[in-house]
Amino acid sequence: MSDPEDDKSDAFVLYRDRPEWRDVVPLRQDDDASVVAIAYSEKFSDVFDYFRAVLKADERSERAFHLTTDAAKLNPANYTVWHFRRILLKELTLSLDEEKRFCSDIIREEPKNYQLWYHRRILVEWMGDPSGELDFTEAVLEQDSKNYHTWSHRQWLIKEFNLWDGELVYIDELLRQDVRNNSAWNQRYFVISSTSGWTPDVLKRDAEYTVQFIKKAPNNESAWNYLSGIVVGQRKSTYGGLKDTCLEMLSNHIQSPHLLSFLVDIYEEEALDRENDSRNDSLPQALELCRKLGSEVDTIRKKYWDYRSRKLEQDYRESQ
């Protein structure tokens, strides 16, 4: 593994050249059986040779802790380094505030590293104090608003420390910046499901809220998926004027595959409802939309829409 620090860290002294480490016999990595050996840099090999030796000896000392600092910087994804580092943090009763700052610095360089976020969660658990954590996640999300690890950490923080207040406002800001932010839509569902729940009033409010974003970007799958998810258990054909909204969009020559797919679901409901007087009209409308999706709008999924047509006709015959 190459080391980007080599060119700018001439002051680094290899552990094998440090007098205070002369009592330690480095433990080389056994790559003899490798077909192609990894080209580790001299610095990388040196640090991890000594780390393996310290780990094997279970040495719990300040120098071992400083060694894990170098190891973590060289390979932030190494689980064993972080695990041993946590052991030393507790054993030596070192500053957790300083450790969190160290963790923050590396996350800024490696924001999609699971081991880092897990380490940070453990630190916050030990401290029992989430101060500054939401602000930190927001800063990371400004660089990548769909970072799964950051969102996962944020969800844990909110749930663990009851930090629900203001989260919907934050999500709304993100969606107004980027309506296609599927992570923000997911967070919205998480927050509502965990707080007020989907009462009739909340469902009505959120359906109307989502429709407004759909009208702004009808080809945005995220909002359509969110709408479909929250109205599960409701009849799309009769709930909240959704059918009229979709037909209005269709009349305005909007050919979004998500719009047409939503209408297929609506017409399917109507066609299979034995108490619906217009079910005979709904069937050909659903079949025509399936044909259009498969042949014109969503051709990559033609076989799926052909299947939906066959299945719909079969279900309709069985419902007679």
Side-chain angles (χ1 to χ4, degrees), residues 127-290:
M127 298 171 78
D129 180 7
S131 298
E133 284 299 290
L134 290 183
D135 290 340
F136 180 76
T137 61
E138 289 175 24
V140 177
L141 290 171
E142 283 181 6
Q143 304 303 313
D144 180 359
S145 62
K146 301 175 185 179
N147 186 328
Y148 168 81
H149 304 292
T150 312
W151 279 113
S152 179
H153 186 70
R154 188 177 180 91
Q155 286 191 357
W156 172 78
L157 285 168
I158 291 171
K159 191 172 183 178
E160 182 73 12
F161 296 98
N162 196 29
L163 302 175
W164 304 101
D165 290 349
E167 188 64 8
L168 284 180
V169 174
Y170 172 63
I171 296 166
D172 184 62
E173 291 174 357
L174 292 180
L175 289 175
R176 294 189 186 284
Q177 293 170 12
D178 178 13
V179 68
R180 294 171 177 80
N181 187 340
N182 54 295
S183 297
W185 285 109
N186 179 73
Q187 183 75 349
R188 186 176 183 87
Y189 188 87
F190 165 74
V191 171
I192 294 174
S193 298
S194 303
T195 52
S196 64
W198 296 98
T199 65
D201 287 344
V202 171
L203 180 57
K204 180 177 182 295
R205 177 205 69 192
D206 244 51
E208 293 173 352
Y209 175 88
T210 309
V211 165
Q212 295 306 310
F213 282 98
I214 285 174
K215 288 181 176 179
K216 292 179 180 178
N219 284 306
N220 171 29
E221 185 176 5
S222 298
W224 282 105
N225 285 344
Y226 183 83
L227 179 62
S228 295
I230 66 176
V231 298
V232 165
Q234 307 293 327
R235 289 183 59 82
K236 292 181 180 179
S237 56
T238 58
Y239 183 78
L242 292 179
K243 179 180 179 181
D244 290 340
T245 298
C246 289
L247 291 176
E248 179 186 356
M249 294 173 69
L250 192 64
S251 69
N252 290 328
H253 309 291
I254 295 174
Q255 296 296 301
S256 163
H258 315 299
L259 167 63
L260 301 188
S261 176
F262 202 87
L263 278 170
V264 169
D265 293 342
I266 288 175
Y267 285 131
E268 181 179 24
E269 279 183 3
E270 294 177 343
L272 300 181
D273 182 1
R274 294 178 180 178
E275 298 180 1
N276 180 17
D277 295 335
S278 62
R279 65 190 303 238
N280 292 335
D281 297 329
S282 298
L283 177 64
Q285 289 173 312
L287 294 176
E288 170 57 22
L289 286 174
C290 286

Side-chain angles (χ1 to χ4, degrees), residues 11-219:
F12 182 83
V13 178
L14 296 174
Y15 280 81
R16 65 171 181 253
D17 296 330
R18 301 184 187 190
E20 67 272 25
W21 284 89
R22 286 176 182 168
D23 60 310
V24 177
V25 179
L27 184 59
R28 292 182 62 253
Q29 179 165 308
D30 184 10
D31 281 341
D32 293 340
S34 301
V35 176
V36 179
I38 298 175
Y40 297 113
S41 70
E42 183 181 35
K43 177 180 176 181
F44 188 97
S45 295
D46 177 73
V47 168
F48 276 90
D49 286 353
Y50 277 84
F51 173 72
R52 278 186 288 273
V54 165
L55 183 66
K56 184 177 180 180
D58 194 24
E59 179 183 321
R60 304 187 181 188
S61 64
E62 289 274 359
R63 71 174 184 176
F65 181 75
H66 293 309
L67 174 60
T68 65
T69 298
D70 286 329
K73 288 179 179 179
L74 287 168
N75 185 4
N78 190 308
Y79 170 82
T80 306
V81 170
W82 292 110
H83 175 71
F84 189 56
R85 188 175 176 87
R86 285 192 292 274
I87 292 175
L88 296 175
L89 279 166
K90 276 206 162 184
E91 183 81 12
L92 304 173
T93 60
L94 300 174
S95 170
L96 297 182
D97 286 322
E98 288 186 13
E99 181 66 8
K100 199 164 77 163
R101 283 193 289 272
F102 172 72
C103 188
S104 298
D105 290 341
I106 301 185
I107 284 178
R108 292 186 184 98
E109 299 296 323
E110 302 278 347
K112 292 188 176 181
N113 186 316
Y114 169 77
Q115 308 303 344
L116 281 166
W117 286 105
Y118 179 75
H119 185 68
R120 190 178 190 89
R121 176 184 295 194
I122 297 299
L123 294 176
V124 176
E125 283 183 340
W126 287 352
M127 298 171 78
D129 180 7
S131 298
E133 284 299 290
L134 290 183
D135 290 340
F136 180 76
T137 61
E138 289 175 24
V140 177
L141 290 171
E142 283 181 6
Q143 304 303 313
D144 180 359
S145 62
K146 301 175 185 179
N147 186 328
Y148 168 81
H149 304 292
T150 312
W151 279 113
S152 179
H153 186 70
R154 188 177 180 91
Q155 286 191 357
W156 172 78
L157 285 168
I158 291 171
K159 191 172 183 178
E160 182 73 12
F161 296 98
N162 196 29
L163 302 175
W164 304 101
D165 290 349
E167 188 64 8
L168 284 180
V169 174
Y170 172 63
I171 296 166
D172 184 62
E173 291 174 357
L174 292 180
L175 289 175
R176 294 189 186 284
Q177 293 170 12
D178 178 13
V179 68
R180 294 171 177 80
N181 187 340
N182 54 295
S183 297
W185 285 109
N186 179 73
Q187 183 75 349
R188 186 176 183 87
Y189 188 87
F190 165 74
V191 171
I192 294 174
S193 298
S194 303
T195 52
S196 64
W198 296 98
T199 65
D201 287 344
V202 171
L203 180 57
K204 180 177 182 295
R205 177 205 69 192
D206 244 51
E208 293 173 352
Y209 175 88
T210 309
V211 165
Q212 295 306 310
F213 282 98
I214 285 174
K215 288 181 176 179
K216 292 179 180 178
N219 284 306

